[in-house]
Every structure is written in C-alpha cells, then in structure tokens.
Amino acid sequence: MASNRTINSETISEITTKEKKLTGADGPVSGGPTAQAQKHANQPVTSEVVSDIAKGEKHVTGHAGPVQGGPAALAQSIASAKTNPIPEHTGKLDSHTISAITSAEKELTGQPQPAKGGPTAAAQSHAGEPINSKTLHDIAEGEKRVAEGGGGAPVKGGPTATAQSELSKSRS
C-alpha cells in the first residue's frame, strides 16, 4: 500500500495496476479510477477523493459498489489509515495497551466486561506509567484472580502477555 496518504505517483501506479486487473485492458480507461485519481494528484486522500475513485471504478465495472481489493478499496484503506493511525509502541500503559489488555481479559473470561480486581483494573491503576516489573506483576496478579476461578496462572496470549508484548515492541 502507498506509504504516505496523498495521491502521489506510487498511489496512482497502484490504482492503475488494480484497474488493469479489473478491466483486462493494457492501460487505464478514460473516466476510470486512474483518471479520477489523477485529478487529485498530490492531494491528501479525503472522502471526496475516495468517492471519485469509486465512481471511476463503477464506470469501468458497472457494479454499484466497490470491488474487494480494487482501486476504491485501496483509496479507502489509505484514507482510513489517515484517520486511524497505527498507534506508536510507547512501552507505557496507554489507552491502546489497556484496550488490548481488556480484549485479552474478555477473551480469557468470556465476559463482556472486565472483572473487578482483574488485569484491566490493575493496568488502569498504572495508566500512563512505564511497563515494568511492578506493573507486569500487578497485571499478572489480576489475571490470576480471573483465570479459572482465581487459582489460575497467567496464560499464553493473555493480559500479562499482551503487556509484555507491548513492552517488547517499544524496544524494537
């Protein structure tokens, strides 16, 4: 996928490649997705740009909606990445990491909400702090409380492992 979030030559090239796969033609079609993208050269990928590329795709396919993996899907993916950036790995118990711990806890317990005194509660009590042996210990203790009726141990892929993974990613 295009590395930056503008309609640049790389993005237009990717759209052209996808368009050629859709049409079977040797090059872009007049009024197609490539032509629509070229109208927005060097502009940020906005909803208007995505809409224009989708109209170009509809022009060449005759389909009402975008084709999976097609030019409009590429543009939408670029626009989505712009509005939902990949979080940085900070090595701290930030909202992204606590959310991941919560998801791991829900998967572990099968419950829709985190448990009182569980790993999410432990992580929240250290919100904004660096992930270290103390925070990992508290999360592990919370995980033990909710794992198999309170007598369990931290599990592979569980909340403690999630926090350890975040710490590891921040160091790489």
PDB file of all heavy atoms in Angstrom, residues 5-8 11-12 15 32-57 71-76 78-79 82:
ATOM      1  N   ARG A   5      -0.064   9.310   2.618  1.00  0.00           N
ATOM      2  CA  ARG A   5      -1.514   9.366   2.482  1.00  0.00           C
ATOM      3  C   ARG A   5      -1.964  10.462   1.534  1.00  0.00           C
ATOM      4  O   ARG A   5      -2.904  11.179   1.802  1.00  0.00           O
ATOM      5  CB  ARG A   5      -2.124   9.501   3.865  1.00  0.00           C
ATOM      6  CG  ARG A   5      -1.810   8.221   4.632  1.00  0.00           C
ATOM      7  CD  ARG A   5      -2.076   8.327   6.066  1.00  0.00           C
ATOM      8  NE  ARG A   5      -1.740   7.050   6.683  1.00  0.00           N
ATOM      9  CZ  ARG A   5      -1.338   6.921   7.902  1.00  0.00           C
ATOM     10  NH1 ARG A   5      -1.230   7.945   8.672  1.00  0.00           N
ATOM     11  NH2 ARG A   5      -1.060   5.738   8.381  1.00  0.00           N
ATOM     12  N   THR A   6      -1.249  10.579   0.429  1.00  0.00           N
ATOM     13  CA  THR A   6      -1.636  11.517  -0.620  1.00  0.00           C
ATOM     14  C   THR A   6      -1.714  10.744  -1.929  1.00  0.00           C
ATOM     15  O   THR A   6      -1.197   9.638  -2.048  1.00  0.00           O
ATOM     16  CB  THR A   6      -0.607  12.662  -0.782  1.00  0.00           C
ATOM     17  OG1 THR A   6       0.653  12.088  -1.111  1.00  0.00           O
ATOM     18  CG2 THR A   6      -0.498  13.501   0.472  1.00  0.00           C
ATOM     19  N   ILE A   7      -2.364  11.362  -2.895  1.00  0.00           N
ATOM     20  CA  ILE A   7      -2.411  10.771  -4.231  1.00  0.00           C
ATOM     21  C   ILE A   7      -1.105  11.173  -4.924  1.00  0.00           C
ATOM     22  O   ILE A   7      -0.999  12.254  -5.478  1.00  0.00           O
ATOM     23  CB  ILE A   7      -3.652  11.263  -5.019  1.00  0.00           C
ATOM     24  CG1 ILE A   7      -4.942  10.838  -4.330  1.00  0.00           C
ATOM     25  CG2 ILE A   7      -3.610  10.740  -6.451  1.00  0.00           C
ATOM     26  CD1 ILE A   7      -5.188   9.340  -4.302  1.00  0.00           C
ATOM     27  N   ASN A   8      -0.108  10.312  -4.811  1.00  0.00           N
ATOM     28  CA  ASN A   8       1.177  10.564  -5.439  1.00  0.00           C
ATOM     29  C   ASN A   8       1.387   9.542  -6.551  1.00  0.00           C
ATOM     30  O   ASN A   8       0.502   8.727  -6.840  1.00  0.00           O
ATOM     31  CB  ASN A   8       2.301  10.533  -4.397  1.00  0.00           C
ATOM     32  CG  ASN A   8       2.369   9.202  -3.665  1.00  0.00           C
ATOM     33  OD1 ASN A   8       1.871   8.183  -4.142  1.00  0.00           O
ATOM     34  ND2 ASN A   8       2.989   9.207  -2.502  1.00  0.00           N
ATOM     35  N   THR A  11       0.793   5.894  -5.486  1.00  0.00           N
ATOM     36  CA  THR A  11      -0.618   5.568  -5.299  1.00  0.00           C
ATOM     37  C   THR A  11      -1.315   5.424  -6.650  1.00  0.00           C
ATOM     38  O   THR A  11      -2.079   4.473  -6.867  1.00  0.00           O
ATOM     39  CB  THR A  11      -1.320   6.664  -4.465  1.00  0.00           C
ATOM     40  OG1 THR A  11      -0.588   6.856  -3.250  1.00  0.00           O
ATOM     41  CG2 THR A  11      -2.745   6.281  -4.140  1.00  0.00           C
ATOM     42  N   ILE A  12      -1.056   6.340  -7.566  1.00  0.00           N
ATOM     43  CA  ILE A  12      -1.668   6.280  -8.898  1.00  0.00           C
ATOM     44  C   ILE A  12      -1.238   5.001  -9.612  1.00  0.00           C
ATOM     45  O   ILE A  12      -2.052   4.330 -10.263  1.00  0.00           O
ATOM     46  CB  ILE A  12      -1.342   7.552  -9.709  1.00  0.00           C
ATOM     47  CG1 ILE A  12      -2.090   8.751  -9.093  1.00  0.00           C
ATOM     48  CG2 ILE A  12      -1.733   7.376 -11.184  1.00  0.00           C
ATOM     49  CD1 ILE A  12      -1.710  10.101  -9.669  1.00  0.00           C
ATOM     50  N   ILE A  15      -3.223   2.149  -8.167  1.00  0.00           N
ATOM     51  CA  ILE A  15      -4.611   2.220  -8.659  1.00  0.00           C
ATOM     52  C   ILE A  15      -4.673   1.731 -10.104  1.00  0.00           C
ATOM     53  O   ILE A  15      -5.581   0.974 -10.471  1.00  0.00           O
ATOM     54  CB  ILE A  15      -5.162   3.650  -8.494  1.00  0.00           C
ATOM     55  CG1 ILE A  15      -5.391   3.947  -7.005  1.00  0.00           C
ATOM     56  CG2 ILE A  15      -6.463   3.845  -9.301  1.00  0.00           C
ATOM     57  CD1 ILE A  15      -5.721   5.382  -6.667  1.00  0.00           C
ATOM     58  N   GLY A  32     -11.993   6.224 -15.768  1.00  0.00           N
ATOM     59  CA  GLY A  32     -11.854   5.162 -14.769  1.00  0.00           C
ATOM     60  C   GLY A  32     -11.186   5.653 -13.496  1.00  0.00           C
ATOM     61  O   GLY A  32     -10.933   6.855 -13.321  1.00  0.00           O
ATOM     62  N   PRO A  33     -10.884   4.722 -12.610  1.00  0.00           N
ATOM     63  CA  PRO A  33     -10.304   5.097 -11.311  1.00  0.00           C
ATOM     64  C   PRO A  33      -8.969   5.835 -11.419  1.00  0.00           C
ATOM     65  O   PRO A  33      -8.725   6.775 -10.662  1.00  0.00           O
ATOM     66  CB  PRO A  33     -10.128   3.775 -10.577  1.00  0.00           C
ATOM     67  CG  PRO A  33     -10.726   2.724 -11.407  1.00  0.00           C
ATOM     68  CD  PRO A  33     -11.140   3.292 -12.713  1.00  0.00           C
ATOM     69  N   THR A  34      -8.119   5.434 -12.365  1.00  0.00           N
ATOM     70  CA  THR A  34      -6.830   6.113 -12.509  1.00  0.00           C
ATOM     71  C   THR A  34      -7.049   7.564 -12.921  1.00  0.00           C
ATOM     72  O   THR A  34      -6.427   8.479 -12.364  1.00  0.00           O
ATOM     73  CB  THR A  34      -5.935   5.391 -13.535  1.00  0.00           C
ATOM     74  OG1 THR A  34      -5.735   4.048 -13.095  1.00  0.00           O
ATOM     75  CG2 THR A  34      -4.590   6.085 -13.680  1.00  0.00           C
ATOM     76  N   ALA A  35      -7.940   7.771 -13.880  1.00  0.00           N
ATOM     77  CA  ALA A  35      -8.239   9.137 -14.332  1.00  0.00           C
ATOM     78  C   ALA A  35      -8.786   9.977 -13.180  1.00  0.00           C
ATOM     79  O   ALA A  35      -8.412  11.151 -13.022  1.00  0.00           O
ATOM     80  CB  ALA A  35      -9.246   9.104 -15.484  1.00  0.00           C
ATOM     81  N   GLN A  36      -9.629   9.368 -12.361  1.00  0.00           N
ATOM     82  CA  GLN A  36     -10.192  10.092 -11.210  1.00  0.00           C
ATOM     83  C   GLN A  36      -9.089  10.424 -10.205  1.00  0.00           C
ATOM     84  O   GLN A  36      -9.046  11.520  -9.651  1.00  0.00           O
ATOM     85  CB  GLN A  36     -11.305   9.275 -10.547  1.00  0.00           C
ATOM     86  CG  GLN A  36     -12.505   9.013 -11.434  1.00  0.00           C
ATOM     87  CD  GLN A  36     -13.176  10.286 -11.902  1.00  0.00           C
ATOM     88  OE1 GLN A  36     -13.270  11.263 -11.175  1.00  0.00           O
ATOM     89  NE2 GLN A  36     -13.633  10.286 -13.151  1.00  0.00           N
ATOM     90  N   ALA A  37      -8.203   9.476  -9.968  1.00  0.00           N
ATOM     91  CA  ALA A  37      -7.107   9.698  -9.018  1.00  0.00           C
ATOM     92  C   ALA A  37      -6.182  10.804  -9.522  1.00  0.00           C
ATOM     93  O   ALA A  37      -5.734  11.650  -8.741  1.00  0.00           O
ATOM     94  CB  ALA A  37      -6.323   8.406  -8.799  1.00  0.00           C
ATOM     95  N   GLN A  38      -5.912  10.803 -10.824  1.00  0.00           N
ATOM     96  CA  GLN A  38      -5.004  11.804 -11.394  1.00  0.00           C
ATOM     97  C   GLN A  38      -5.538  13.229 -11.210  1.00  0.00           C
ATOM     98  O   GLN A  38      -4.758  14.168 -11.082  1.00  0.00           O
ATOM     99  CB  GLN A  38      -4.742  11.508 -12.870  1.00  0.00           C
ATOM    100  CG  GLN A  38      -3.845  10.305 -13.050  1.00  0.00           C
ATOM    101  CD  GLN A  38      -3.743   9.835 -14.487  1.00  0.00           C
ATOM    102  OE1 GLN A  38      -4.629  10.042 -15.300  1.00  0.00           O
ATOM    103  NE2 GLN A  38      -2.623   9.177 -14.786  1.00  0.00           N
ATOM    104  N   LYS A  39      -6.864  13.366 -11.143  1.00  0.00           N
ATOM    105  CA  LYS A  39      -7.454  14.693 -10.904  1.00  0.00           C
ATOM    106  C   LYS A  39      -7.082  15.227  -9.527  1.00  0.00           C
ATOM    107  O   LYS A  39      -7.168  16.419  -9.270  1.00  0.00           O
ATOM    108  CB  LYS A  39      -8.986  14.639 -11.011  1.00  0.00           C
ATOM    109  CG  LYS A  39      -9.517  14.455 -12.414  1.00  0.00           C
ATOM    110  CD  LYS A  39     -10.980  14.820 -12.460  1.00  0.00           C
ATOM    111  CE  LYS A  39     -11.856  13.614 -12.523  1.00  0.00           C
ATOM    112  NZ  LYS A  39     -13.280  13.947 -12.554  1.00  0.00           N
ATOM    113  N   HIS A  40      -6.708  14.323  -8.635  1.00  0.00           N
ATOM    114  CA  HIS A  40      -6.401  14.703  -7.254  1.00  0.00           C
ATOM    115  C   HIS A  40      -4.911  14.539  -6.941  1.00  0.00           C
ATOM    116  O   HIS A  40      -4.539  14.398  -5.768  1.00  0.00           O
ATOM    117  CB  HIS A  40      -7.231  13.853  -6.288  1.00  0.00           C
ATOM    118  CG  HIS A  40      -8.697  14.052  -6.420  1.00  0.00           C
ATOM    119  ND1 HIS A  40      -9.347  15.155  -5.923  1.00  0.00           N
ATOM    120  CD2 HIS A  40      -9.652  13.286  -7.022  1.00  0.00           C
ATOM    121  CE1 HIS A  40     -10.637  15.052  -6.191  1.00  0.00           C
ATOM    122  NE2 HIS A  40     -10.845  13.939  -6.869  1.00  0.00           N
ATOM    123  N   ALA A  41      -4.073  14.541  -7.963  1.00  0.00           N
ATOM    124  CA  ALA A  41      -2.635  14.332  -7.771  1.00  0.00           C
ATOM    125  C   ALA A  41      -2.074  15.286  -6.719  1.00  0.00           C
ATOM    126  O   ALA A  41      -2.409  16.473  -6.683  1.00  0.00           O
ATOM    127  CB  ALA A  41      -1.901  14.522  -9.094  1.00  0.00           C
ATOM    128  N   ASN A  42      -1.264  14.729  -5.838  1.00  0.00           N
ATOM    129  CA  ASN A  42      -0.580  15.457  -4.759  1.00  0.00           C
ATOM    130  C   ASN A  42      -1.520  16.050  -3.715  1.00  0.00           C
ATOM    131  O   ASN A  42      -1.134  16.945  -2.973  1.00  0.00           O
ATOM    132  CB  ASN A  42       0.346  16.541  -5.333  1.00  0.00           C
ATOM    133  CG  ASN A  42       1.404  15.943  -6.220  1.00  0.00           C
ATOM    134  OD1 ASN A  42       2.029  14.951  -5.857  1.00  0.00           O
ATOM    135  ND2 ASN A  42       1.583  16.507  -7.398  1.00  0.00           N
ATOM    136  N   GLN A  43      -2.738  15.534  -3.654  1.00  0.00           N
ATOM    137  CA  GLN A  43      -3.701  15.965  -2.627  1.00  0.00           C
ATOM    138  C   GLN A  43      -3.838  14.856  -1.587  1.00  0.00           C
ATOM    139  O   GLN A  43      -3.642  13.680  -1.899  1.00  0.00           O
ATOM    140  CB  GLN A  43      -5.073  16.238  -3.246  1.00  0.00           C
ATOM    141  CG  GLN A  43      -5.121  17.401  -4.199  1.00  0.00           C
ATOM    142  CD  GLN A  43      -6.513  17.570  -4.811  1.00  0.00           C
ATOM    143  OE1 GLN A  43      -7.491  16.995  -4.356  1.00  0.00           O
ATOM    144  NE2 GLN A  43      -6.584  18.381  -5.848  1.00  0.00           N
ATOM    145  N   PRO A  44      -4.226  15.213  -0.368  1.00  0.00           N
ATOM    146  CA  PRO A  44      -4.493  14.182   0.639  1.00  0.00           C
ATOM    147  C   PRO A  44      -5.683  13.315   0.207  1.00  0.00           C
ATOM    148  O   PRO A  44      -6.567  13.785  -0.500  1.00  0.00           O
ATOM    149  CB  PRO A  44      -4.862  14.970   1.898  1.00  0.00           C
ATOM    150  CG  PRO A  44      -4.420  16.370   1.636  1.00  0.00           C
ATOM    151  CD  PRO A  44      -4.381  16.562   0.156  1.00  0.00           C
ATOM    152  N   VAL A  45      -5.672  12.062   0.634  1.00  0.00           N
ATOM    153  CA  VAL A  45      -6.776  11.153   0.327  1.00  0.00           C
ATOM    154  C   VAL A  45      -7.918  11.456   1.295  1.00  0.00           C
ATOM    155  O   VAL A  45      -7.847  11.120   2.472  1.00  0.00           O
ATOM    156  CB  VAL A  45      -6.340   9.681   0.410  1.00  0.00           C
ATOM    157  CG1 VAL A  45      -7.501   8.770   0.054  1.00  0.00           C
ATOM    158  CG2 VAL A  45      -5.166   9.420  -0.508  1.00  0.00           C
ATOM    159  N   THR A  46      -8.937  12.124   0.776  1.00  0.00           N
ATOM    160  CA  THR A  46     -10.117  12.500   1.567  1.00  0.00           C
ATOM    161  C   THR A  46     -11.304  11.663   1.116  1.00  0.00           C
ATOM    162  O   THR A  46     -11.212  10.904   0.138  1.00  0.00           O
ATOM    163  CB  THR A  46     -10.449  13.986   1.346  1.00  0.00           C
ATOM    164  OG1 THR A  46     -10.783  14.154  -0.047  1.00  0.00           O
ATOM    165  CG2 THR A  46      -9.280  14.893   1.720  1.00  0.00           C
ATOM    166  N   SER A  47     -12.432  11.838   1.782  1.00  0.00           N
ATOM    167  CA  SER A  47     -13.640  11.113   1.374  1.00  0.00           C
ATOM    168  C   SER A  47     -14.057  11.499  -0.040  1.00  0.00           C
ATOM    169  O   SER A  47     -14.569  10.669  -0.793  1.00  0.00           O
ATOM    170  CB  SER A  47     -14.778  11.354   2.371  1.00  0.00           C
ATOM    171  OG  SER A  47     -15.060  12.728   2.474  1.00  0.00           O
ATOM    172  N   GLU A  48     -13.813  12.745  -0.429  1.00  0.00           N
ATOM    173  CA  GLU A  48     -14.137  13.184  -1.795  1.00  0.00           C
ATOM    174  C   GLU A  48     -13.281  12.420  -2.815  1.00  0.00           C
ATOM    175  O   GLU A  48     -13.782  11.970  -3.852  1.00  0.00           O
ATOM    176  CB  GLU A  48     -13.902  14.690  -1.950  1.00  0.00           C
ATOM    177  CG  GLU A  48     -14.153  15.192  -3.362  1.00  0.00           C
ATOM    178  CD  GLU A  48     -13.743  16.655  -3.554  1.00  0.00           C
ATOM    179  OE1 GLU A  48     -13.391  17.336  -2.576  1.00  0.00           O
ATOM    180  OE2 GLU A  48     -13.779  17.089  -4.710  1.00  0.00           O
ATOM    181  N   VAL A  49     -12.011  12.265  -2.529  1.00  0.00           N
ATOM    182  CA  VAL A  49     -11.103  11.533  -3.416  1.00  0.00           C
ATOM    183  C   VAL A  49     -11.548  10.076  -3.520  1.00  0.00           C
ATOM    184  O   VAL A  49     -11.630   9.514  -4.620  1.00  0.00           O
ATOM    185  CB  VAL A  49      -9.641  11.643  -2.929  1.00  0.00           C
ATOM    186  CG1 VAL A  49      -8.726  10.744  -3.734  1.00  0.00           C
ATOM    187  CG2 VAL A  49      -9.164  13.084  -2.978  1.00  0.00           C
ATOM    188  N   VAL A  50     -11.861   9.454  -2.378  1.00  0.00           N
ATOM    189  CA  VAL A  50     -12.319   8.065  -2.372  1.00  0.00           C
ATOM    190  C   VAL A  50     -13.592   7.935  -3.206  1.00  0.00           C
ATOM    191  O   VAL A  50     -13.736   7.013  -4.019  1.00  0.00           O
ATOM    192  CB  VAL A  50     -12.558   7.557  -0.929  1.00  0.00           C
ATOM    193  CG1 VAL A  50     -13.203   6.175  -0.938  1.00  0.00           C
ATOM    194  CG2 VAL A  50     -11.256   7.535  -0.140  1.00  0.00           C
ATOM    195  N   SER A  51     -14.509   8.879  -3.035  1.00  0.00           N
ATOM    196  CA  SER A  51     -15.761   8.861  -3.784  1.00  0.00           C
ATOM    197  C   SER A  51     -15.515   8.956  -5.287  1.00  0.00           C
ATOM    198  O   SER A  51     -16.119   8.220  -6.074  1.00  0.00           O
ATOM    199  CB  SER A  51     -16.658  10.009  -3.312  1.00  0.00           C
ATOM    200  OG  SER A  51     -17.840  10.054  -4.076  1.00  0.00           O
ATOM    201  N   ASP A  52     -14.625   9.842  -5.694  1.00  0.00           N
ATOM    202  CA  ASP A  52     -14.319   9.996  -7.124  1.00  0.00           C
ATOM    203  C   ASP A  52     -13.695   8.720  -7.695  1.00  0.00           C
ATOM    204  O   ASP A  52     -14.038   8.290  -8.805  1.00  0.00           O
ATOM    205  CB  ASP A  52     -13.398  11.190  -7.356  1.00  0.00           C
ATOM    206  CG  ASP A  52     -14.117  12.526  -7.217  1.00  0.00           C
ATOM    207  OD1 ASP A  52     -15.366  12.543  -7.104  1.00  0.00           O
ATOM    208  OD2 ASP A  52     -13.429  13.572  -7.209  1.00  0.00           O
ATOM    209  N   ILE A  53     -12.794   8.115  -6.947  1.00  0.00           N
ATOM    210  CA  ILE A  53     -12.162   6.878  -7.413  1.00  0.00           C
ATOM    211  C   ILE A  53     -13.208   5.758  -7.498  1.00  0.00           C
ATOM    212  O   ILE A  53     -13.217   4.974  -8.444  1.00  0.00           O
ATOM    213  CB  ILE A  53     -10.958   6.506  -6.525  1.00  0.00           C
ATOM    214  CG1 ILE A  53      -9.850   7.551  -6.715  1.00  0.00           C
ATOM    215  CG2 ILE A  53     -10.445   5.095  -6.837  1.00  0.00           C
ATOM    216  CD1 ILE A  53      -8.699   7.450  -5.733  1.00  0.00           C
ATOM    217  N   ALA A  54     -14.118   5.727  -6.534  1.00  0.00           N
ATOM    218  CA  ALA A  54     -15.205   4.733  -6.562  1.00  0.00           C
ATOM    219  C   ALA A  54     -16.102   4.949  -7.787  1.00  0.00           C
ATOM    220  O   ALA A  54     -16.542   3.985  -8.423  1.00  0.00           O
ATOM    221  CB  ALA A  54     -16.020   4.803  -5.272  1.00  0.00           C
ATOM    222  N   LYS A  55     -16.363   6.208  -8.120  1.00  0.00           N
ATOM    223  CA  LYS A  55     -17.162   6.498  -9.330  1.00  0.00           C
ATOM    224  C   LYS A  55     -16.440   6.010 -10.574  1.00  0.00           C
ATOM    225  O   LYS A  55     -17.050   5.461 -11.493  1.00  0.00           O
ATOM    226  CB  LYS A  55     -17.446   8.003  -9.431  1.00  0.00           C
ATOM    227  CG  LYS A  55     -18.460   8.490  -8.427  1.00  0.00           C
ATOM    228  CD  LYS A  55     -18.605  10.016  -8.492  1.00  0.00           C
ATOM    229  CE  LYS A  55     -19.458  10.516  -7.336  1.00  0.00           C
ATOM    230  NZ  LYS A  55     -19.399  11.972  -7.209  1.00  0.00           N
ATOM    231  N   GLY A  56     -15.115   6.212 -10.617  1.00  0.00           N
ATOM    232  CA  GLY A  56     -14.326   5.715 -11.744  1.00  0.00           C
ATOM    233  C   GLY A  56     -14.362   4.203 -11.823  1.00  0.00           C
ATOM    234  O   GLY A  56     -14.457   3.622 -12.907  1.00  0.00           O
ATOM    235  N   GLU A  57     -14.318   3.558 -10.660  1.00  0.00           N
ATOM    236  CA  GLU A  57     -14.392   2.093 -10.616  1.00  0.00           C
ATOM    237  C   GLU A  57     -15.750   1.620 -11.118  1.00  0.00           C
ATOM    238  O   GLU A  57     -15.843   0.670 -11.905  1.00  0.00           O
ATOM    239  CB  GLU A  57     -14.134   1.607  -9.191  1.00  0.00           C
ATOM    240  CG  GLU A  57     -14.012   0.108  -9.079  1.00  0.00           C
ATOM    241  CD  GLU A  57     -13.622  -0.333  -7.687  1.00  0.00           C
ATOM    242  OE1 GLU A  57     -12.612   0.175  -7.146  1.00  0.00           O
ATOM    243  OE2 GLU A  57     -14.320  -1.206  -7.142  1.00  0.00           O
ATOM    244  N   PRO A  71      -9.454  -0.540  -6.829  1.00  0.00           N
ATOM    245  CA  PRO A  71      -8.918   0.812  -6.652  1.00  0.00           C
ATOM    246  C   PRO A  71      -9.610   1.608  -5.537  1.00  0.00           C
ATOM    247  O   PRO A  71      -8.949   2.287  -4.756  1.00  0.00           O
ATOM    248  CB  PRO A  71      -9.153   1.477  -8.008  1.00  0.00           C
ATOM    249  CG  PRO A  71      -9.255   0.350  -8.975  1.00  0.00           C
ATOM    250  CD  PRO A  71      -9.860  -0.786  -8.217  1.00  0.00           C
ATOM    251  N   ALA A  72     -10.939   1.517  -5.456  1.00  0.00           N
ATOM    252  CA  ALA A  72     -11.647   2.264  -4.411  1.00  0.00           C
ATOM    253  C   ALA A  72     -11.315   1.712  -3.025  1.00  0.00           C
ATOM    254  O   ALA A  72     -11.189   2.470  -2.061  1.00  0.00           O
ATOM    255  CB  ALA A  72     -13.155   2.232  -4.658  1.00  0.00           C
ATOM    256  N   ALA A  73     -11.164   0.400  -2.939  1.00  0.00           N
ATOM    257  CA  ALA A  73     -10.794  -0.209  -1.655  1.00  0.00           C
ATOM    258  C   ALA A  73      -9.407   0.270  -1.222  1.00  0.00           C
ATOM    259  O   ALA A  73      -9.186   0.549  -0.036  1.00  0.00           O
ATOM    260  CB  ALA A  73     -10.825  -1.732  -1.757  1.00  0.00           C
ATOM    261  N   LEU A  74      -8.491   0.381  -2.175  1.00  0.00           N
ATOM    262  CA  LEU A  74      -7.153   0.900  -1.870  1.00  0.00           C
ATOM    263  C   LEU A  74      -7.252   2.332  -1.348  1.00  0.00           C
ATOM    264  O   LEU A  74      -6.672   2.663  -0.307  1.00  0.00           O
ATOM    265  CB  LEU A  74      -6.258   0.863  -3.105  1.00  0.00           C
ATOM    266  CG  LEU A  74      -4.903   1.568  -2.962  1.00  0.00           C
ATOM    267  CD1 LEU A  74      -4.015   0.853  -1.958  1.00  0.00           C
ATOM    268  CD2 LEU A  74      -4.215   1.683  -4.307  1.00  0.00           C
ATOM    269  N   ALA A  75      -8.004   3.168  -2.043  1.00  0.00           N
ATOM    270  CA  ALA A  75      -8.151   4.569  -1.626  1.00  0.00           C
ATOM    271  C   ALA A  75      -8.787   4.651  -0.239  1.00  0.00           C
ATOM    272  O   ALA A  75      -8.360   5.445   0.604  1.00  0.00           O
ATOM    273  CB  ALA A  75      -8.984   5.340  -2.647  1.00  0.00           C
ATOM    274  N   GLN A  76      -9.809   3.821  -0.008  1.00  0.00           N
ATOM    275  CA  GLN A  76     -10.467   3.819   1.299  1.00  0.00           C
ATOM    276  C   GLN A  76      -9.494   3.388   2.387  1.00  0.00           C
ATOM    277  O   GLN A  76      -9.472   3.955   3.478  1.00  0.00           O
ATOM    278  CB  GLN A  76     -11.689   2.894   1.285  1.00  0.00           C
ATOM    279  CG  GLN A  76     -12.429   2.858   2.604  1.00  0.00           C
ATOM    280  CD  GLN A  76     -12.951   4.220   3.024  1.00  0.00           C
ATOM    281  OE1 GLN A  76     -13.639   4.870   2.260  1.00  0.00           O
ATOM    282  NE2 GLN A  76     -12.619   4.651   4.218  1.00  0.00           N
ATOM    283  N   ILE A  78      -6.258   3.772   2.397  1.00  0.00           N
ATOM    284  CA  ILE A  78      -5.319   4.873   2.642  1.00  0.00           C
ATOM    285  C   ILE A  78      -5.997   5.951   3.489  1.00  0.00           C
ATOM    286  O   ILE A  78      -5.434   6.456   4.446  1.00  0.00           O
ATOM    287  CB  ILE A  78      -4.792   5.457   1.319  1.00  0.00           C
ATOM    288  CG1 ILE A  78      -3.935   4.424   0.598  1.00  0.00           C
ATOM    289  CG2 ILE A  78      -3.988   6.734   1.562  1.00  0.00           C
ATOM    290  CD1 ILE A  78      -3.602   4.777  -0.843  1.00  0.00           C
ATOM    291  N   ALA A  79      -7.246   6.274   3.141  1.00  0.00           N
ATOM    292  CA  ALA A  79      -7.983   7.299   3.907  1.00  0.00           C
ATOM    293  C   ALA A  79      -8.204   6.839   5.340  1.00  0.00           C
ATOM    294  O   ALA A  79      -8.074   7.616   6.283  1.00  0.00           O
ATOM    295  CB  ALA A  79      -9.317   7.608   3.231  1.00  0.00           C
ATOM    296  N   LYS A  82      -5.247   7.179   7.470  1.00  0.00           N
ATOM    297  CA  LYS A  82      -5.026   8.579   7.820  1.00  0.00           C
ATOM    298  C   LYS A  82      -5.831   8.961   9.056  1.00  0.00           C
ATOM    299  O   LYS A  82      -5.362   9.678   9.924  1.00  0.00           O
ATOM    300  CB  LYS A  82      -5.434   9.455   6.630  1.00  0.00           C
ATOM    301  CG  LYS A  82      -5.227  10.927   6.852  1.00  0.00           C
ATOM    302  CD  LYS A  82      -5.620  11.683   5.600  1.00  0.00           C
ATOM    303  CE  LYS A  82      -5.540  13.171   5.852  1.00  0.00           C
ATOM    304  NZ  LYS A  82      -6.033  13.920   4.712  1.00  0.00           N
TER     305      LYS A  82
END
